[in-house]
Amino acid sequence: MFELQGNRAELLEKIEDGLNRKCYAALRDLLLPMEAADIAGVCTELGEKVPLVFRLLPKELAAEVFVELDSDEQELLISSFSNTELKEVLDELYLDDTVDIVEEMPANVVKRILRHSDPEMRKSINEILKYPEDSAGSIMTTEYVDLKAHMTVEDALKRIRRTGPDKETINVCYVVDEGRHLIGLLTIRTILLAEEDDVIGDIMERHLIAVQTLDDQEAVARALSKYDFLALPVVDKENRLVGIVTVDDAIDVLQEEVTEDIEKMAAMLPGDKPYLKTSVFETWKARTPWLMLLMLSATFTGIILTHFEKSLMACAILTSFIPMLSGTGGNSGTQASTAVIRALSLGEVHFSDLFQVLWKEFCVSVCCGLCLAGANFLKMMLVDRWLLRNPAVTPQVALVVCATLMGTVFCAKLVGCSLPLLAKRVGFDPAVMASPFITTIVDAISLLIYFRFASALLGI
Amino acid sequence: MFELQGNRAELLEKIEDGLNRKCYAALRDLLLPMEAADIAGVCTELGEKVPLVFRLLPKELAAEVFVELDSDEQELLISSFSNTELKEVLDELYLDDTVDIVEEMPANVVKRILRHSDPEMRKSINEILKYPEDSAGSIMTTEYVDLKAHMTVEDALKRIRRTGPDKETINVCYVVDEGRHLIGLLTIRTILLAEEDDVIGDIMERHLIAVQTLDDQEAVARALSKYDFLALPVVDKENRLVGIVTVDDAIDVLQEEVTEDIEKMAAMLPGDKPYLKTSVFETWKARTPWLMLLMLSATFTGIILTHFEKSLMACAILTSFIPMLSGTGGNSGTQASTAVIRALSLGEVHFSDLFQVLWKEFCVSVCCGLCLAGANFLKMMLVDRWLLRNPAVTPQVALVVCATLMGTVFCAKLVGCSLPLLAKRVGFDPAVMASPFITTIVDAISLLIYFRFASALLGI
């Protein structure tokens, strides 16, 4: 009863065993107390047997499980449904979930779903489908409680009792005027704690935050999280209430957006399927473009190295420190860019903070650079020269390497922190300016510094 | 009224102007319709003037703003409060917010807060402070609505109306027996839609999910998000209800945990302050350890290069492709490790999927490797040999580089996907196995492959 992570393998075995022995009553007793999300988790492993399990569940739970399934399994189920079964499931679904499903299904399945939705539902689905992907309109639901300002609390409670069962939430109710303009909101707590003859218009909250249908879904989710709301009203350009976005959908959006950011920061094109559900081809398609671009841009470092071939021939030991320098430069840059990208996406930093950010990273780079250079000098003297007895590692060479190290860290931090801010400024996605991109730039800078110091200090 | 992002600069100017001209009434009218989180956002920029603004706000709004402030500003405010003012603010706060504040304040401020909380509050604060950081107990609130199974809906509504104003949420109510054991829950919707003489014990949900006080806060937040709950009950080992965690706190936890993961993946020690609020010293402390470790571990690549110094002397052009090889290896590894780390943290992948993951990455690495090697061969022939007229770039050299490229991508993907899974298995944090760590390993492997191919194909 109280476990967060039940023993999945054991449960799965029990269910498969029940299915094989056709002990449907026992199976039903096993499933009934489970949460929909957990049943859906198990269904993923059952493959072709999902419809069998699904038919054991009571209507309401079945619909909840259906929503939680991946689109492959939803499609499989729909194709196994009779028309009556399909209609039963659809009747139980909330509008926004139905829209999510419709968006993922192939055209023939969508047609079948629309044919078996009731006319009002069909109209609403078509309305929501019109909004662009990733907009507030596309994730909202139209199933909210609306009240009028002239109602008494008693009227309002009656209305909530009458219409409540079909609404996605009754925790926040919205007040609209005759033209359906949004004029206020009340939480269910305010309503319950008021007197029966209080008038809604007097007790409602008039200062409210709403989003427009075309606002970006991430901005909507961030607002819900910033203001600790359970729902946000969505209005059209004339401020007419058209739907609400609830907090559970906002959490999903936040998670998706973070995953996208992380993928971009690791030089991948963002996908929208879970890792194991993404095919090899799709993964390949998401990963190759950036790899290719970054590989080809390494031509520059190659040209630099070819250009200084003679210096390297004259002092071969210099080659062996190139990976260390480029690695440390890359890591320093990654740290700065990642910190700034995350701060940007949490709204902690804006472009106007550029100079503050640069100054901060300047100070940090000096401190980090000094530490690293000092440690590296000691390491080169003790390990490379003394322990590994490499006579080529002279104090002069160590000096060149350490000076380059400081310069590299310095450039890496400044490039790393400023590129995401500049990207944001010109309307690019800052997340793309993350480690791989910056590493390539810093690699080239670091080599140029290296050979400059080498020629100055070693005279080559 | 309906703006998500008001013009901050303009607003700030208005407020500062109001403060300077001492137009407090106008200022109050300006602030009243704003959301607490937005007022707090402006306060950050006001510095020493925060207490002045704060005193203009009505008690309840003032408390909400107080919660949203950073701990520096909270401390400043508390030190400017008279004892009566402090008590007034504390009385308005919810318990979990008070605990959050107490956790951040220095000892003398904590003493003052505890002295001015009422005795019951003080006891609850001390209880919660006992739970380890990052546990469910530390983020829960004890201000929930509890009902008894024998109550009628009418009794329950009376109780909610009486105790509701002080509770963090009334949207979910919990049913406990005489020994305070959790036996069921009801949403406010269920209660409102029931008949007045229905008995709570008959209509409550008995299948419920609860967490224990010592469960990890991230697991709690993931459960709330997975099951789309608005609150989760927290029980002790004897299944007695001790508190609840609400969805707004869960969102904050999810955001914090993601930030921590991202920081770890970029080779930083996670911090808990916003970017611009972190001092240079703290940033330096968070960034240097990993940089140092990764720098020193590059000794291995240095040793490999020194070892093959003669080969490099014999065919100097090989050096110029080292940055490209190590960069591409690093990026390929990062892609795989990032994808797996994120999938692990979203619960999409488990250690038992190791072979499936390895197979998938194997296939992807072959596809990516072939593409990259092909493109690189063309580039070396067309750009390096033909366009830049470098006679050292022979087809044999290109073959060595491309074969190494394929081998590197292959190893990078397999190391990248398996290390996070293995880390998870042995109880380490998979996020630490991200790009910088894997890059260092892949660098060494890639060089070994390079020289092996060079000696085989070029006979050096």
Side-chain angles (χ1 to χ4, degrees), chain A residues 47-168:
Chain A
E48 300 291 310
K49 292 177 194 155
V50 174
L52 227 60
V53 171
F54 198 76
R55 291 207 173 87
L56 292 175
L57 304 173
K59 257 192 323 193
E60 207 173 316
L61 183 58
E64 283 175 34
V65 171
F66 189 76
V67 171
E68 299 283 339
L69 289 171
D70 287 319
S71 53
D72 306 353
E73 289 137 19
Q74 285 172 342
E75 203 182 323
L76 175 76
L77 266 178
I78 293 178
S79 67
S80 82
F81 283 163
S82 70
N83 287 341
T84 330
E85 280 175 321
L86 178 60
K87 197 167 159 35
E88 269 176 15
V89 170
L90 288 176
D91 284 348
E92 290 288 333
L93 293 184
Y94 286 120
L95 175 64
D96 55 343
D97 293 327
T98 316
V99 172
D100 284 351
I101 293 164
V102 165
E103 277 173 340
E104 295 293 323
M105 292 295 129
N108 58 331
V109 180
V110 172
K111 265 191 206 156
R112 207 175 147 216
I113 292 179
L114 289 178
R115 206 163 51 229
H116 292 95
S117 311
D118 59 54
E120 203 181 323
M121 186 69 145
R122 189 164 23 197
K123 194 167 150 249
S124 304
I125 294 176
N126 280 321
E127 290 278 302
I128 295 189
L129 283 177
K130 265 187 265 162
Y131 294 108
E133 208 186 343
D134 296 346
S135 69
S138 75
I139 55 165
M140 73 183 183
T141 176
T142 52
E143 292 163 324
Y144 53 83
V145 178
D146 52 348
L147 304 173
K148 302 276 186 222
H150 61 76
M151 286 180 172
T152 62
V153 165
E154 199 185 345
D155 299 335
L157 277 172
K158 265 190 207 146
R159 186 173 164 80
I160 294 170
R161 289 207 171 98
R162 202 177 62 241
T163 64
D166 294 330
K167 303 305 181 188
E168 171 126 2

Side-chain angles (χ1 to χ4, degrees), chain A residues 197-266:
Chain A
D197 52 0
D198 282 348
V199 176
I200 293 297
D202 299 338
I203 59 169
M204 71 185 185
E205 175 63 64
R206 287 170 183 278
H207 306 306
L208 35 79
I209 295 207
V211 293
Q212 292 213 345
T213 45
L214 298 182
D215 282 346
D216 185 66
Q217 61 170 1
E218 188 176 1
V220 178
R222 292 228 170 275
L224 264 160
S225 123
K226 175 175 174 192
Y227 300 117
D228 291 346
F229 291 155
L230 294 180
L232 261 184
V234 183
V235 295
D236 64 13
K237 281 192 187 131
E238 281 78 45
N239 190 27
R240 281 183 301 240
L241 183 61
V242 289
I244 61 170
V245 176
T246 48
V247 68
D248 51 322
D249 297 321
I251 295 182
D252 293 344
V253 168
L254 287 177
Q255 301 273 28
E256 271 168 39
E257 299 282 344
V258 165
T259 305
E260 269 187 28
D261 270 8
I262 292 181
E263 285 171 339
K264 284 184 208 149
M265 287 163 76

Side-chain angles (χ1 to χ4, degrees), chain B residues 14-181:
Chain B
K14 268 192 201 164
I15 292 176
E16 286 191 324
D17 183 55
L19 283 172
N20 292 336
R21 296 194 292 121
K22 298 202 188 347
C23 302
Y24 295 128
L27 206 52
R28 198 184 143 101
D29 290 342
L30 183 70
L31 293 172
L32 267 188
M34 287 172 62
E35 289 294 326
D38 290 327
I39 302 181
V42 175
C43 282
T44 320
E45 317 262 330
L46 287 176
E48 299 292 311
K49 292 176 194 154
V50 174
L52 226 59
V53 171
F54 197 77
R55 291 208 174 86
L56 294 175
L57 304 173
K59 256 193 322 192
E60 207 172 317
L61 183 59
E64 282 175 35
V65 171
F66 188 75
V67 171
E68 299 283 339
L69 290 171
D70 287 318
S71 53
D72 306 353
E73 289 138 19
Q74 285 172 340
E75 202 182 324
L76 175 76
L77 267 179
I78 293 178
S79 67
S80 82
F81 283 162
S82 71
N83 287 340
T84 330
E85 282 174 319
L86 178 60
K87 197 167 163 28
E88 270 177 12
V89 170
L90 288 175
D91 283 348
E92 291 289 333
L93 294 184
Y94 286 120
L95 175 64
D96 56 342
D97 294 327
T98 317
V99 172
D100 284 350
I101 293 163
V102 165
E103 277 172 340
E104 295 292 323
M105 293 293 131
N108 59 330
V109 180
V110 172
K111 265 190 205 157
R112 209 177 143 215
I113 292 178
L114 289 178
R115 206 163 50 230
H116 293 93
S117 311
D118 60 53
E120 204 181 324
M121 187 70 144
R122 189 163 22 193
K123 196 167 148 251
S124 303
I125 294 176
N126 280 322
E127 289 279 301
I128 294 187
L129 284 178
K130 265 187 266 163
Y131 294 109
E133 209 186 341
D134 296 345
S135 68
S138 74
I139 55 166
M140 71 183 183
T141 176
T142 53
E143 292 163 326
Y144 52 84
V145 178
D146 52 349
L147 304 172
K148 302 278 186 216
H150 61 75
M151 287 179 171
T152 62
V153 165
E154 197 184 349
D155 299 335
L157 278 172
K158 266 189 205 147
R159 185 173 165 81
I160 293 170
R161 289 204 171 99
R162 202 177 63 241
T163 64
D166 294 329
K167 303 304 182 187
E168 171 126 3
T169 181
I170 63 158
N171 299 328
V172 193
C173 305
Y174 298 89
V175 186
V176 292
D177 66 11
E178 297 307 319
R180 297 207 58 74
H181 300 102

Side-chain angles (χ1 to χ4, degrees), chain B residues 42 48 110 293 295 325 407 420 439:
Chain B
V42 175
E48 299 292 311
V110 172
L293 187 72
M295 179 185 82
L325 288 171
T439 303

